[in-house]
Amino acid sequence: MNNVQLNDDVLGLIVFKSDLHDPSSSLASWKDDSSACSWNRVQCNPATGRVTKINLAGLELSGRIGKGLEKLQHLMLFQVFQFTLFYLNGCQILTSIRDLFKLCL
């Protein structure tokens, strides 16, 4: 493994990804040996290096939003349009993300 710090953002996104079915391997770059800021469909605040945006719109994903997203305390925008099958595993998960101001389902 590289010297990448496994911070809460990386761990949270890896857990989130594990609850998804991704037949096109759209999230193949989401690996714990690299910074989440270098992953497809993820944007970070350059000053803090923390994940602020996730855009999964238009991907052929199915699954559920699990507890992994709770780790992303700086997430402000989460777009998940067009999930084939989508289970929201409790709104309390998303409301626990203090900076989230826009959720696009």
Side-chain angles (χ1 to χ4, degrees):
M1 185 182 297
N2 295 342
N3 291 328
V4 174
Q5 178 185 0
L6 291 180
N7 65 27
D8 283 346
D9 293 348
V10 171
L11 294 173
L13 287 171
I14 293 295
V15 169
F16 170 69
K17 179 184 172 189
S18 72
D19 287 330
L20 299 178
H21 178 63
D22 181 13
S24 300
S25 298
S26 300
L27 305 180
S29 65
W30 291 26
K31 297 179 182 175
D32 62 7
D33 63 351
S34 61
S35 166
C37 299
S38 68
W39 297 355
N40 282 340
R41 308 267 180 169
V42 175
Q43 291 182 356
C44 295
N45 177 323
T48 64
R50 300 301 302 264
V51 172
T52 56
K53 298 177 185 175
I54 302 171
N55 181 353
L56 304 179
L59 299 181
E60 294 180 21
L61 301 174
S62 61
R64 66 185 178 97
I65 295 178
K67 292 189 174 246
L69 289 186
E70 287 181 329
K71 298 281 190 188
L72 281 73
Q73 290 301 310
H74 298 273
L75 184 65
M76 298 186 318
L77 177 63
F78 182 56
Q79 293 180 297
V80 289
F81 299 118
Q82 300 170 342
F83 259 49
T84 305
L85 175 63
F86 188 78
Y87 297 106
L88 185 57
N89 198 26
C91 290
Q92 70 278 4
I93 292 170
L94 295 179
T95 58
S96 72
I97 302 172
R98 67 171 184 257
D99 289 339
L100 185 65
F101 69 86
K102 189 168 185 183
L103 172 66
C104 304
L105 301 175

